[in-house]
């Protein structure tokens, strides 16, 4: 007879849009489809009304929800798990976090009974922040996954036709979209770039790249829903982030849509992204060279690379690994 799954209280304060919200919803739906009861609560004092009925508490990320999971876990005697989506040291450095906050986080994270990281790099970053390794019994690595329809590989551009490049993400400093614009200037005129997303850098980028917009080599498309972010005429999608916690959802979505991508060789990406899709570095010249090299690859090699990536980010594996972690946590 099958065991009844533990009841989960998912503590989540994030926006409805964005990568973390998307993957949290993916886990919620996967557990629900597997017969689990998952209650969602924002991390504020009233969450105890939901948390008291749970067998295990899950903090949807390592800040506000983790604080609530610690408090509720202590007050109610419940086991708790913290989900880590980013490389902590890089995130805190980018935010210029105060010493007091860093001290509080070090103390808190030493209390966490179970972590789930989206990559080995995310685990290594948190261990570096703590100044000590975590035992494997407390640290689990589960790569993100998305349920997406598969599309055939996009047709490569003709030798003389326009090459459509795309980017999906925030126009913010850590994403380094300015490097993609600098890269575009190094490519032949038949290459065009569409930037899908918004953010604090948009106005400055529009001003700096006005000549490229005027010649229709560059388009600022604004934010779009995830389902329509990838344009049907793109030949390649691009990433240029300074850091990543794991394989970005935009890369997984691109692979499922049959669109190859080029990314810098970040530690988290090297874990699951085939080497043929990684640039040798993150400079505009290195990204430009990688774009041309990937577009020149045989279609069979590109298809195998995309298949390999999607296999490593498969939903059944993602859901099964999470069920195992939550069962073990609830049994403690």
């Amino acid at each position: 007879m099958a065991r009844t799954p533990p009841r989960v209280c998912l503590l989540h304060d994030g926006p409805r849009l964005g990568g973390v919200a998307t993957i949290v919803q993916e886990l919620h739906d996967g557990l629900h489809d597997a017969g689990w009861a998952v209650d969602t609560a924002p991390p504020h004092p009233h969450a105890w009304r939901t948390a008291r009925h749970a067998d295990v508490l899950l903090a949807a990320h390592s800040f506000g929800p983790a604080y609530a999971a610690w408090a509720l876990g202590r007050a109610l005697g419940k086991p708790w798990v913290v989900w880590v989506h980013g490389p902590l040291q890089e995130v805190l450095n980018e935010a210029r976090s105060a010493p007091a906050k860093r001290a509080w986080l070090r103390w808190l994270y030493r209390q966490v009974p179970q972590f789930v990281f989206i990559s080995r790099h995310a685990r290594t970053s948190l261990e570096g922040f703590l100044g000590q390794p975590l035992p494997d019994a407390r640290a689990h690595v589960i790569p993100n996954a998305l349920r997406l329809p598969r599309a055939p590989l996009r047709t490569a551009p003709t030798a003389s036709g326009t090459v459509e490049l795309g980017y999906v993400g925030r126009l913010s400093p850590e994403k380094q979209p300015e490097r993609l614009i600098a890269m575009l200037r190094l490519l032949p005129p038949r290459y065009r770039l569409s930037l899908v997303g918004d953010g604090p850098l948009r106005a400055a980028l529009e001003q700096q790249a006005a000549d490229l917009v005027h010649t229709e080599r560059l388009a600022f498309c604004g934010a779009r829903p995830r389902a329509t972010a990838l344009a049907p005429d793109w030949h390649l999608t691009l990433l240029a982030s300074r850091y990543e916690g794991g394989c970005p959802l935009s890369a997984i979505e691109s692979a499922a849509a049959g669109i190859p991508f080029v990314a810098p060789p970040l530690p988290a990406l090297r874990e699951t992204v085939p080497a043929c899709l990684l640039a040798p570095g993150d400079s505009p010249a290195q990204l430009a060279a990688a774009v041309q090299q990937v577009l020149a690859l045989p279609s069979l090699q590109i298809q195998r690379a995309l298949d390999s990536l999607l296999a490593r980010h498969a939903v059944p594996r993602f859901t099964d690994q999470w069920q195992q972690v939550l069962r073990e946590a609830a049994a403690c």
Side-chain angles (χ1 to χ4, degrees):
M1 184 175 178
R3 293 179 297 165
T4 301
R7 191 176 195 93
V8 178
C9 176
L10 177 60
L11 298 163
H12 183 39
D13 66 348
R16 295 183 180 180
L17 300 175
V20 172
T22 299
I23 200 63
V24 168
Q25 188 64 47
E26 187 71 54
L27 176 61
H28 177 280
D29 294 346
L31 292 175
H32 181 269
D33 292 347
W36 288 56
V38 182
D39 302 312
T40 303
H44 59 59
H46 295 301
W48 71 270
R49 296 172 180 169
T50 302
R52 64 180 177 172
H53 300 295
D55 299 303
V56 60
L57 312 178
L58 171 57
H61 63 77
S62 54
F63 295 105
Y67 311 160
W70 164 74
L72 291 167
R74 283 178 58 88
L76 300 173
K78 304 285 186 180
W80 49 295
V81 178
V82 173
W83 196 353
V84 181
H85 298 270
L88 185 68
Q89 293 187 97
E90 292 92 323
V91 170
L92 294 178
N93 290 341
E94 185 76 27
R96 299 181 180 179
S97 297
K101 180 173 183 178
R102 292 170 184 259
W104 151 247
L105 290 174
R106 284 193 181 93
W107 180 88
L108 174 68
Y109 294 153
R110 290 186 176 119
Q111 319 306 312
V112 176
Q114 300 275 334
F115 285 103
V116 171
F117 300 93
I118 66 170
S119 68
R120 293 191 301 274
H121 176 62
R123 173 180 175 174
T124 300
S125 183
L126 188 138
E127 289 175 330
F129 175 72
L130 292 178
Q132 62 187 50
L134 293 167
D136 289 342
R138 289 179 60 203
H140 312 274
V141 175
I142 304 178
N144 286 337
L146 290 174
R147 277 179 277 197
L148 296 167
R150 292 291 303 273
L153 187 66
R154 296 287 172 90
T155 303
T158 62
S160 59
T162 300
V163 181
E164 297 288 353
L165 309 175
Y167 163 84
V168 179
R170 277 181 56 76
L171 303 181
S172 54
E174 75 279 4
K175 298 298 184 181
Q176 302 189 130
E178 70 279 0
R179 296 204 175 194
L180 298 180
I181 295 174
M183 173 213 70
L184 184 63
R185 295 186 183 279
L186 300 176
L187 291 168
R190 70 190 188 100
Y191 285 75
R192 298 198 308 189
L193 173 62
S194 298
L195 299 176
V196 176
D198 216 332
L201 296 182
R202 178 168 178 173
L205 293 174
E206 287 179 327
Q207 183 176 7
Q208 295 165 14
D211 59 317
L212 294 172
V213 174
H214 179 71
T215 58
E216 298 185 344
R217 292 194 64 204
L218 177 65
F220 289 87
C221 304
R224 293 177 183 167
R226 298 195 77 92
T228 59
L230 298 171
D233 60 347
W234 287 0
H235 298 109
L236 197 70
T237 56
L238 304 170
L239 294 87
S241 297
R242 185 177 299 134
Y243 59 82
E244 291 286 358
C247 183
L249 298 188
S250 59
I252 300 173
E253 290 165 332
S254 184
I259 307 174
F261 61 88
V262 164
L266 300 175
L269 272 64
R270 292 201 301 265
E271 294 180 27
T272 60
V273 176
C276 66
L277 301 177
L278 296 175
D282 66 352
S283 72
Q286 290 169 316
L287 292 170
V291 164
Q292 294 174 303
Q293 289 167 6
V294 170
L295 289 172
L297 291 175
S299 58
L300 181 58
Q301 183 177 355
I302 293 177
Q303 186 65 68
R304 286 174 175 169
L306 300 185
D307 289 345
S308 172
L309 176 82
L310 293 172
R312 296 181 181 187
H313 294 272
V315 168
R317 177 190 295 179
F318 171 79
T319 306
D320 288 348
Q321 289 178 316
W322 264 105
Q323 290 183 78
Q324 181 178 348
V325 168
L326 293 171
R327 285 187 187 277
E328 291 175 357
C332 293

